[in-house]
Amino acid sequence: MSPHPRPPSLMRPSGPALHHPAAPMLLRWATHGCEVECGTPWPIDRLRQAVHRGNHPTAQTPAAAAALREETMAKVREGFGYVLNWAAIEHDPPTELKVSPLGAIPHKSRAYRAILDLSFVPRELADQASSVNAATTWLAPQQAMDQIGFVLPRIIYHLADAPRAAGPVSFVKFDIKDGYWRVMVEPDRAVNFAFVIPRTDDNQPVELFVPYALQMGWRESVPYFCAVSETGRDVAQELVSKAASLPAHRFESATLPPSTTNPPSPSPGWHTTFPWHIEVYLDDYVGLAQTTNTAHLRLLSRAILTAIHSVFPPPDVTGHSGEDPVSQKKLATEGVWHTTKEVLGWDMDGANRTIALPQPKIDKLLTTLKHLRRAPSVRRKDLESLRGKLQHAAFGCPEGRAFLIAFHVTLASSPTKRTLPVTPYLKEAATDWMALLRAMQNRSIPVEQLVVRPVQFVGFCDASGTGAGGVWFSMIDEPAFPPMVWRAAFPEDITDSIRSTARPNGTVTNSDLEMAGVLLAFLVLECMVDLRHRHIAIWCDNTPTVAWTKRLTANRSRVAARLLRALAYRMFATGASPFHSLSIAGVDNAIADIPSRSFRQRASDGKVFDWSTQKLISHFNAVFPLPQMHSWREFHLNASLRSKVYSELRTTASRRASWTQITKIGSVTGASGPSSSWKTSECHPGSIPLLFPRPFNSSAFLQNGFGREPIPRNVNASVRQQLLSRFVPSARPTKWLASPIQHSNPPTSTTSASNASSKRVDEGTHRQNNN
C-alpha cells in the first residue's frame, strides 16, 4: 500500500465518453490506476548507487535544480506524489523501489521540462541489469498509438484537398495542461518511478519523489495517454453533428476570431456544408475548418471542448485545486481560430495552402549538423535525437528521407555502443541535410507538392545485365507527349561487376541495377516536361527497388543508397511531388523488358549485336501498335547524364552540385525523320508537343490497352483503380477501439498478488485485441 492517499484521478470518462468502447477501461484506470509491471526488485547496492549518482548533469546546474525542485515540491503540495527521506528508508526500502535520473530540457513555455530517464543503466551494470523501460511488460493498449504517425500527413492532405475557390482554411488547437499528470498509475507500483529531488543547498537532506502519475520517459505512458486522448477525439467527431443541441461551453467564445457580424444560428446539417476535420496528437487537439462563419466555428469549438471535458473533467467536477485541463495560457493564442498557426511543429498557412519549418528549428538543426560534421564521434542518444528531428523535417521535404540512410546505418551498426564514430558517410549525409535545410529557409512549401494526386505521367522500367530501359506515357493533355521508349546501355565494367553465382564477389546486384533504372527513368522524364508539382507513377518488377523507392531508404545496399540520394536531389530540384512506386510481375513487364535487353543481344548463330533505333521502333510498332497510324518515339538520354548514374553504380564519390546542377539535354528519334534535341531550361512544357505535330491522346490509349497484345496485361485495371483515382490517406476509424475490452478479473485490491493476476488477464486480452 502507498503510505499516502493519492489524489482523485483527473481523468475519468463521463457524459458522451461513457458510450465509447474504451469507457470501461478508462474507468478502471481512473479508479485503480494504470497497470504497471517493471520487472524484478533492485538490489540495495544498485539503489544506493542510483541515489548517490543522482540526476543528469542537465538537472544539476543551479538554475535547472532550482526550477525542477520548485516544480517537484508543487506536485507534492497538489498530492501528485510523496517524498521519501533516503536516510530513513535506506536499510528497509519499498520492495519495488527503483531510482532513475531526472533530466532537464529547455522548454519554450517554461524554463525547463523535466524528463525521467527510465532507459538509463549505469555503464558498470550494462551487461548485468536492465533499465526500468527495458524491464517493463507491455500492458497498455498499443493500438491507441496507431494514428500518431498519420496525424500530420492527414492534416497536410486535408489542407491540400480544400477547394481554393471556397476560401481559406482556419485552424484551432487545444492543449491539455500537464496531460500525463492527469492519468494515475497503480499507487503501490508508483515507487518504480522514483527520482532524487534536486537539491539547491548541500544542507538539504537527500529525498526521493514518488509520482503517482504517468511519467514522461516511461515507454507505457504514450499508449496509456493516447487511449484517453483518442477517446476524446472520437467523442468530438460524434458531437459535431449534435453541437447545436449541446449546452454552450464556457470557453467557446474565447476561440472565435474578431467579427463584426452576428450570424444566425446554423440550420440542421450545417456541418455538411463545408470541409472540417479533427485530429489529436498526444495532448494536442487540432481542428481544421474551411468556413468564415463564426457560428460554425463556435459549434466546432463547442464539440471539441465538450469532448475534452468528457475524458478530462474540469476542476469543479474533480474538486482539484489546479487549473482546467484545457490550457488557459495557450487558449488565448493557439485556441483562437485563425488561418495561420503552428501545428505539430510546422507553420501552417490556410490561405496560401503552405507549410514552413519555423526558422528557430532550422537554425538549431543547422548548428547541430555543423557540430556533427566536425566531431570524431557522437553519443548514440544525440544521434537518435537528431535523426528524429530530421525525420520530422522530412514531412515537409520527403526527399530528405534519402539523406537519413547514413543515420539508420550508423545507429544499426553497433547497437550496444553508447558512442559512435562519425564516418565520412555520416558527414556526407549531414552535409546533404544542411543543404536541404538552407533551401527550406524562408521558404513556404506548397502542400500540393507533398500529397499524391491522380497520376499525370506513367512509366514502366526494367534493367538487365546489359542495360536499362522503359517507356513513358502522358495521362494529361497539357503537357503531353506520345508514348516514349528509352534505353541506356551499361558500360562493360559495370556489367562485369554484377554479382552472380559465377561472380560472388561482384559489387553490384540486380536490384542495384533496377534502382539505377528508376533513376534513369526519372531523368528521362524531367528532360521532357516540367515536373514541378507533377504526379508520377513508375512500375517496376523488382520488389526491393519498389520498396526502396517508396521509402527512399536502402539500409543494406550502399549502391542503392547512393542512387536514392541522387534521385532525392533531382526530385527536390524539380519540385516533383512524391510519386507512386508500383510493383508489377516480370511476365507483365515486357514493354520495359524489351528495351532494357536491346543491347548486345546474342543471335542464334552466336553473333552479338545491338538493336538500332529503327529496329527497336519497328518492333514496338509491331508488338505494341498505336492507334491512328501513330508511331513510337525513342528518347536518347544525354551521355553526361548517363555517366553520372554509372558513377553511382561504381560508388564513385559524387559532389552534391553534380546532382543539383544538371544540364538536361536529350533527343527524340522516331521511325523516320531527323532527331530533335532541346534543353528544358530553354523551353517550357507547352512547347514540347510542337515536336510531335500529330495530336495524340496517350491517356485514352493507355486506358484502352496496347492493341492486340495488352502488355502489361493488368495495366487497364491498375490504371483505373490506382493511377486515375485520387490518393486519400487512410480514414480514421470511427472508434480507435473497435469493441470494449473485457476483464474477467478487474483489480479490486492493491495487493501485489491481485494486481499481478489482473495484469495477466489484461495482457492476454490486449494481445487478442492487437491480433
Side-chain angles (χ1 to χ4, degrees):
M1 290 289 293
S2 166
H4 302 278
R6 72 165 197 175
S9 174
L10 302 187
M11 180 283 296
R12 181 175 291 273
S14 62
L18 290 175
H19 302 289
H20 194 281
M25 179 172 59
L26 302 191
L27 282 171
R28 189 180 73 256
W29 295 346
T31 304
H32 302 283
C34 297
E35 295 88 359
V36 175
E37 183 59 67
C38 293
T40 58
W42 285 8
I44 187 62
D45 288 345
R46 183 175 179 184
L47 286 174
R48 286 172 176 155
Q49 290 176 8
V51 173
H52 177 73
R53 183 178 294 106
N55 296 316
H56 275 305
T58 57
Q60 293 180 5
T61 64
L68 296 185
R69 182 176 182 86
E70 180 181 354
E71 179 181 335
T72 302
M73 300 316 293
K75 296 299 182 187
V76 174
R77 291 191 296 272
E78 294 171 2
F80 284 110
Y82 58 93
V83 176
L84 293 175
N85 185 294
W86 174 244
I89 68 164
E90 180 178 3
H91 299 289
D92 186 22
T95 302
E96 294 195 39
L97 179 65
K98 299 177 178 66
V99 180
S100 301
L102 192 68
I105 297 178
H107 194 255
K108 60 182 180 180
S109 62
R110 57 179 181 264
Y112 296 94
R113 165 175 282 177
I115 295 184
L116 195 56
D117 187 359
L118 293 164
S119 296
F120 178 80
V121 178
R123 186 183 300 274
E124 61 271 16
L125 297 179
D127 299 329
Q128 310 169 29
S130 299
S131 66
V132 173
N133 271 340
T136 294
T137 300
W138 289 112
L139 299 176
Q142 301 304 301
Q143 63 267 48
M145 300 187 294
D146 287 350
Q147 301 301 319
I148 285 181
F150 301 101
V151 172
L152 186 55
R154 216 179 257 126
I155 291 175
I156 291 172
Y157 168 78
H158 283 284
L159 181 57
D161 195 53
R164 287 184 176 271
V169 175
S170 295
F171 305 90
V172 73
K173 188 169 71 171
F174 301 115
D175 177 76
I176 306 301
K177 181 174 175 57
D178 296 329
Y180 280 8
W181 288 97
R182 297 180 180 274
V183 184
M184 303 299 177
V185 299
E186 295 172 316
D188 61 323
R189 300 297 179 93
V191 290
N192 285 279
F193 311 115
F195 61 84
V196 177
I197 300 176
R199 295 192 297 168
T200 56
D201 185 341
D202 291 341
N203 294 322
Q204 292 170 339
V206 176
E207 296 175 313
L208 307 180
F209 176 66
V210 179
Y212 280 127
L214 296 177
Q215 290 301 290
M216 185 175 295
W218 186 39
R219 71 176 189 174
E220 287 270 72
S221 291
V222 172
Y224 272 131
F225 188 83
C226 282
V228 182
S229 61
E230 288 284 346
T231 300
R233 196 222 68 91
D234 293 347
V235 173
Q237 186 81 13
E238 284 190 353
L239 291 182
V240 169
S241 61
K242 309 171 186 176
S245 60
L246 293 174
H249 196 282
R250 61 179 178 271
F251 295 152
E252 65 184 45
S253 295
T255 70
L256 302 180
S259 175
T260 57
T261 61
N262 186 20
S265 299
S267 59
W270 62 274
H271 60 287
T272 63
T273 61
F274 63 94
W276 58 272
H277 187 68
I278 299 174
E279 283 288 349
V280 66
Y281 185 90
L282 293 175
D283 58 351
D284 284 337
Y285 285 83
V286 180
L288 291 77
Q290 191 176 21
T291 178
T292 56
N293 187 317
T294 53
H296 293 166
L297 298 177
R298 178 187 291 273
L299 291 182
L300 284 171
S301 295
R302 182 182 300 176
I304 299 173
L305 291 166
T306 301
I308 291 174
H309 276 172
S310 75
V311 291
F312 295 109
D316 57 347
V317 174
T318 61
H320 184 248
S321 59
E323 297 184 35
D324 194 277
V326 178
S327 173
Q328 300 301 286
K329 181 179 179 180
K330 296 182 179 180
L331 182 63
T333 53
E334 298 177 352
V336 178
W337 288 96
H338 201 275
T339 57
T340 59
K341 197 173 295 293
E342 182 177 336
V343 178
L344 302 185
W346 288 88
D347 290 334
M348 297 199 172
D349 188 334
N352 296 312
R353 307 296 201 276
T354 62
I355 68 171
L357 196 63
Q359 189 60 43
K361 291 182 181 290
I362 293 179
D363 292 340
K364 289 181 180 179
L365 285 173
L366 287 173
T367 299
T368 304
L369 288 166
K370 186 182 298 183
H371 291 161
L372 179 65
R373 286 197 312 173
R374 297 174 177 174
S377 61
V378 60
R379 291 194 310 170
R380 171 178 293 277
K381 285 187 176 182
D382 293 339
L383 192 62
E384 288 174 338
S385 174
L386 177 57
R387 179 179 64 172
K389 292 174 182 177
L390 293 176
Q391 286 174 327
H392 179 75
F395 274 111
C397 187
E399 298 85 0
R401 291 177 294 168
F403 305 151
L404 287 170
I405 299 176
F407 290 80
H408 303 323
V409 171
T410 301
L411 288 167
S413 61
S414 302
T416 60
K417 290 186 178 180
R418 295 188 177 188
T419 302
L420 302 169
V422 179
T423 62
Y425 187 33
L426 189 58
K427 290 182 179 180
E428 180 186 62
T431 302
D432 289 337
W433 259 107
M434 290 178 69
L436 203 60
L437 289 168
R438 289 192 180 109
M440 295 171 68
Q441 289 186 115
N442 303 316
R443 173 190 174 190
S444 295
I445 304 166
V447 291
E448 187 68 24
Q449 187 175 326
L450 304 176
V451 298
V452 179
R453 292 299 195 190
V455 173
Q456 297 162 312
F457 304 115
V458 178
F460 297 85
C461 68
D462 188 51
S464 68
T466 57
V471 296
W472 277 111
F473 302 95
S474 174
M475 303 293 291
I476 55 178
D477 295 331
E478 183 67 28
F481 51 84
M484 192 73 64
V485 59
W486 65 270
R487 55 183 178 157
F490 291 136
E492 289 190 11
D493 68 300
I494 291 178
T495 300
D496 293 340
S497 66
I498 299 174
R499 190 180 306 162
S500 63
T501 304
R503 196 181 294 112
N505 296 324
T507 58
V508 178
T509 67
N510 178 64
S511 296
D512 295 332
L513 296 178
E514 297 276 7
M515 187 65 242
V518 172
L519 176 57
L520 287 164
F522 189 89
L523 292 173
V524 167
L525 185 62
E526 74 165 275
C527 285
M528 295 194 295
V529 292
D530 183 353
L531 293 182
R532 182 171 175 78
H533 302 171
R534 296 299 184 181
H535 304 285
I536 308 163
I538 296 180
W539 298 74
C540 177
D541 58 21
N542 183 268
T543 302
T545 299
V546 172
W548 293 337
T549 311
K550 280 183 177 180
R551 301 193 306 263
L552 284 180
T553 300
N555 296 345
R556 297 185 179 181
S557 171
R558 181 65 63 88
V559 175
R562 297 200 64 84
L563 293 165
L564 284 171
R565 173 179 180 261
L567 177 62
Y569 268 126
R570 294 318 306 149
M571 291 172 61
F572 183 77
T574 59
S577 299
F579 61 82
H580 284 291
S581 179
L582 302 167
S583 183
I584 188 172
V587 295
D588 292 330
N589 199 29
I591 199 167
D593 186 63
I594 291 171
S596 75
R597 299 176 185 275
S598 61
F599 305 102
R600 298 191 287 278
Q601 293 293 312
R602 187 176 297 278
S604 57
D605 58 2
K607 294 182 178 180
V608 178
F609 65 93
D610 290 344
W611 278 15
S612 65
T613 293
Q614 185 175 2
K615 171 71 173 177
L616 179 66
I617 296 300
S618 297
H619 184 80
F620 261 70
N621 285 334
V623 177
F624 312 113
L626 304 179
Q628 301 175 7
M629 302 301 294
H630 284 277
S631 175
W632 283 86
R633 302 294 180 96
E634 181 181 9
F635 185 91
H636 300 274
L637 194 63
N638 180 269
S640 65
L641 292 183
R642 299 198 305 270
S643 178
K644 294 179 189 297
V645 178
Y646 301 153
S647 294
E648 301 298 342
L649 283 170
R650 299 182 181 107
T651 63
T652 305
S654 61
R655 296 186 305 113
R656 175 176 56 87
S658 68
W659 286 110
T660 57
Q661 299 174 359
I662 292 181
T663 303
K664 297 179 287 185
I665 303 174
S667 64
V668 174
T669 303
S672 61
S675 300
S676 301
S677 65
W678 71 95
K679 295 182 181 180
T680 56
S681 59
E682 297 177 355
C683 76
H684 55 85
S687 69
I688 292 175
L690 297 178
L691 296 170
F692 316 106
R694 291 179 293 176
F696 183 82
N697 188 339
S698 58
S699 175
F701 162 71
L702 188 59
Q703 294 180 65
N704 294 330
F706 293 92
R708 65 191 182 202
E709 188 176 348
I711 304 292
R713 296 180 179 84
N714 64 348
V715 71
N716 296 332
S718 299
V719 166
R720 285 196 298 269
Q721 296 175 12
Q722 298 186 48
L723 305 183
L724 296 180
S725 63
R726 294 172 64 86
F727 173 82
V728 180
S730 58
R732 267 187 171 274
T734 305
K735 301 286 193 301
W736 74 265
L737 187 63
S739 59
I741 292 181
Q742 302 296 330
H743 296 273
S744 57
N745 296 309
T748 56
S749 170
T750 54
T751 63
S752 299
S754 63
N755 277 323
S757 174
S758 66
K759 287 185 185 67
R760 284 192 293 272
V761 173
D762 294 351
E763 185 181 5
T765 308
H766 292 157
R767 288 201 187 100
Q768 293 173 7
N769 279 283
N770 283 331
N771 294 331

